[in-house]
Structures are given as C-alpha cells and as structure tokens.
Amino acid sequence: MSPKHVEAMYDVVIVGAGAAGLSAALGMVHSPEFAERRALGEEPSVLVISKLQPLRSHTGSAEGGIAASLGNVEHDDWHWHYYDTVKGGDWLVDQDAARLLAQEAPAAVINLERMGVAFSRTEDGHIAQRRFGGHTADFGQQPVKRAAYAADRIGHQILHALWQQCVAAGIAFAEEWYVTDLVLDEARTKVEGVVAFDTHTGAVHAVHARNVLLATGGAGRLFHTTSNSWDLTGDGMALALNAGLQLEDVEFMQFHPTGLAHTGILLSEAARAEGGVLRNAEGEAFMQRYAPGHADLAARDVVSRAIRSETDAGRGVADPK
Ligand SMILES: Cc1cc2nc3c(=O)[nH]c(=O)nc-3n(C[C@H](O)[C@H](O)[C@H](O)COP(=O)(O)OP(=O)(O)OC[C@H]3O[C@@H](n4cnc5c(N)ncnc54)[C@H](O)[C@@H]3O)c2cc1C
C-alpha cells in the first residue's frame, strides 16, 4: 500500500508501525474527536510511515507475555502492578504514567483479545497468565502470575491483530519509507511534517502534517550483543535531536538478563517463570544471594547485575573461542 496523496496535509503522521504506532493509529481513527469531525462531513486523515513492512516491526519478536492485573490465575490488584512498576524503576519512574499503565492494562489486554490476539487459555477458558520477573502480590510479598501470554509469541500475535484492525479501518500506510527528518516551521516552534525516503524508488517525499508522532522503537543496536533486530537504531531520538528538540530519560536502557551467550538470542523470562534456575560455573543457584525471596524472578536489572558480578568474579560462562 502507498499513500494516495503524499502532497496532501495529514492531520497526523505516525512514524513507526510496531505495537506503539499501530495502537496510536487505531486510537485516533476511533477517537470521539475524529467521529465528531466525520459527522461534520470532514475527512480526518492519518498516515503511518514505516521503514519496514509493518509486520516485520520488532514488536513481532516479543515472546513471554504482557503485564496486566487481570487476576485470572491468582488474585491480583492494579495497585500491586503500579507498585512493582515504580519499584522496578528504582523510584525514578514517572509515577503518573505508571499508574495509568497499571490501571488500564487489564482493559487493554481484553481489548487486544477482542481485536484477535489468540491468548493461551486457562482450563476454564480465561486468558492464561504466568509469572514474570518483578511481578508481585501484596506490594512485593510474593510472586504473582500477571503476564498474559500467547504461548511464546505474544508480540507476533499483537502485531498481526493490530495490523489487521488497521487494514480493516482503512488507515493509510507508506511502507518501507525511511523518515530522515522532521520539518519545523521557521520559528522552530511547530512541526509541519516529515521528509521520507521511499526505499523502493529512491524518491524523497515531503509529507505535510499538523501533528507528528514518533513511535520508532528503541536503540538496542548500540550494543555489540543484543536481542534487538538491525532496524533498532534509535531513529526517533535522532530525528528529534536533529530538529533541536529535547529528549528525556535516554539513560534508561533495559537489559534483559538471559540469552544464549554471545548470540543475542533471547532466553525468555518465561523459562524462569516456569521454574528455570540460573546457575554459575560452579553450579550454584546464585540468585538467592542477590535477591533473597524473589531470587530468579527478581526484576531484570537486578538479575542482569547479579550475572555481571558472577562473571566478573570468574564464575561465568566460559568464552567459546
Ligand atoms: C526478543 C525480545 C523479546 C521481548 N519480549 C517481550 C515480552 O515478552 N513482553 C513485553 O512486554 N515486551 C517484550 N519485548 C519488548 C517489546 O517487544 C518492545 O518494547 C515493543 O515491541 C516496542 O514496540 P514499538 O512499537 O515501540 O517498536 P517496534 O516494534 O520496534 O517498531 C518500531 C517501528 O518504527 C519504524 N521505524 C523506525 N525508524 C524509522 C524511520 N526512520 N522511518 C520510518 N519508520 C521507522 C519501524 O519500521 C517499526 O515499524 C521484547 C523485545 C525483544 C527484542
């Protein structure tokens, strides 16, 4: 699909077609504001631009699950999810955002199911939930099964469901277009669109927009070993910086603790959720020393630091040279 009128003025241009970009597009076309404008005979417009075909977005590689205090398997409460999110971020988290996330997650998961995500099921037919690092009940007292899952491919399911909904809603896509610049007005106070490079034809387009939303994923490719695909090069951050805009919280980069050594292939947290135990080269289940109580299901930064400490102390995996 290509946008019909590249030279048109779009109400919104969304850069990125992963879970974030596709959800935003659906949220807009189904918003009361857009409905009101349609009722007045207007045609509010959204264009999603993606340097990849949308179904190749990295969201498709998420494996283990999505956190929501549905309480389908064990009693849960959004206040506990909220607490875990703030504690997991060492109290540096934007607490308003964390609260909204925890409060709205159950409804978002149910909405995803209605859009077509084939979640795994409990015996009595509810959305199944498993343990994940840092998910606790009673404000940190014991682990709780909070991650709603679809076998080992939650991201694939979510990406396909969102994409199908966008196609059904008739949202316009510019696929395999690479956004290279944000365009600001002369006073540099207002965004006016983006510049994008069509990787099929080599043509460069100026796309006019009243609003631009950047949903371009992370920057995991900064690191030598990463579970992130080649496209995760922090483009959104670069676009904003090049336009002279400020970034926030760029120092917060998540490290997933487990993978196949030196390959960047993720070993999902689900492995520990289902009873897998981390051992050092001496066979010791070392996480009890670092996180008594939660051990292997401590938050990801805690487990990552513990693995690093064990490796630095000479008790890590041998380097296969
Ligand atoms: C191996 C792995 C497993 C994971 N497992 C889980 C899990 O179990 N649970 C969980 O909650 N999270 C998990 N995550 C994290 C989760 O997948 C991501 O946080 C989430 O998918 C990010 O979605 P996104 O829409 O922000 O980005 P992405 O899905 O990466 O999408 C980015 C989009 O931006 C587009 N784009 C980028 N730059 C440009 C540009 N210059 N011009 C045009 N388009 C551009 C790309 O084409 C793409 O469409 C996992 C991540 C990995 C790597």
Side-chain angles (χ1 to χ4, degrees):
M1 265 191 288
S2 287
K4 282 188 199 124
H5 307 292
V6 175
E7 303 311 328
M9 167 68 86
Y10 287 90
D11 288 295
V12 186
V13 162
I14 297 171
V15 188
L22 298 181
S23 306
L26 286 169
M28 277 167 208
V29 297
H30 295 310
S31 67
E33 189 199 327
F34 270 38
E36 228 171 79
R37 288 182 55 192
R38 276 189 221 104
L40 293 171
E42 293 178 29
E43 280 185 48
S45 52
V46 176
L47 173 69
V48 182
I49 306 182
S50 175
K51 68 181 177 182
L52 303 176
Q53 197 284 331
L55 293 177
R56 296 188 63 218
S57 300
H58 205 52
T59 291
S61 63
E63 298 175 17
I66 176 169
S69 59
L70 293 159
N72 287 351
V73 182
E74 292 171 346
H75 177 55
D76 202 355
D77 188 308
W78 72 261
H79 291 91
W80 300 341
H81 185 187
Y82 176 31
Y83 168 84
D84 289 341
T85 308
V86 175
K87 179 172 183 285
D90 284 341
W91 277 270
L92 297 169
V93 169
D94 175 339
Q95 296 198 11
D96 293 336
R99 183 187 175 98
L100 197 69
L101 171 90
Q103 264 179 318
E104 296 201 351
V109 166
I110 290 167
N111 197 33
L112 282 172
E113 185 196 35
R114 290 180 181 155
M115 286 195 219
V117 173
F119 284 103
S120 297
R121 297 276 156 191
T122 61
E123 299 239 318
D124 61 356
H126 290 91
I127 293 172
Q129 295 184 274
R130 56 163 59 117
R131 287 183 180 169
F132 242 46
H135 293 182
T136 72
D138 290 322
F139 305 105
Q141 292 305 306
Q142 66 272 333
V144 69
K145 293 183 175 173
R146 181 177 294 147
Y149 61 95
D152 60 353
R153 47 184 177 275
I154 188 67
H156 177 91
Q157 283 285 333
I158 290 176
L159 189 62
H160 280 249
L162 292 172
W163 164 247
Q164 286 164 14
Q165 294 295 325
C166 286
V167 172
I171 292 169
F173 279 83
E175 295 178 6
E176 299 185 329
W177 281 29
Y178 205 120
V179 173
T180 56
D181 290 282
L182 288 178
V183 180
L184 303 186
D185 67 348
E186 257 178 61
R188 303 190 73 73
T189 53
K190 202 161 71 70
V191 72
E192 295 198 323
V194 300
V195 175
F197 170 74
D198 179 344
T199 59
H200 288 275
T201 63
V204 176
H205 298 282
V207 186
H208 306 279
R210 291 189 183 88
N211 302 282
V212 174
L213 179 75
L214 298 177
T216 50
R221 274 285 146 188
L222 277 170
F223 298 91
H224 180 262
T225 303
T226 174
S227 63
N228 287 195
S229 71
W230 289 101
D231 65 296
L232 289 176
T233 43
D235 295 16
M237 292 177 251
L239 288 167
L241 278 178
N242 284 340
L245 304 173
Q246 288 183 352
L247 300 183
E248 192 180 337
D249 294 341
V250 278
E251 70 276 31
F252 295 112
M253 181 76 68
Q254 187 189 91
F255 289 85
H256 192 288
T258 54
L260 292 181
H262 314 291
T263 65
I265 296 174
L266 189 86
L267 277 178
S268 171
E269 206 154 49
R272 279 170 288 131
E274 302 295 337
V277 173
L278 293 169
R279 294 184 186 278
N280 62 19
E282 293 166 7
E284 181 203 2
F286 58 90
M287 276 312 302
Q288 271 300 347
R289 267 194 285 121
Y290 293 90
H294 297 301
D296 296 87
L297 284 176
R300 288 181 181 177
D301 61 319
V302 178
V303 181
S304 299
R305 275 196 298 272
I307 292 173
R308 181 81 250 175
S309 300
E310 289 301 297
T311 310
D312 288 348
R315 296 187 291 269
V317 189
D319 200 339
K321 282 199 185 120

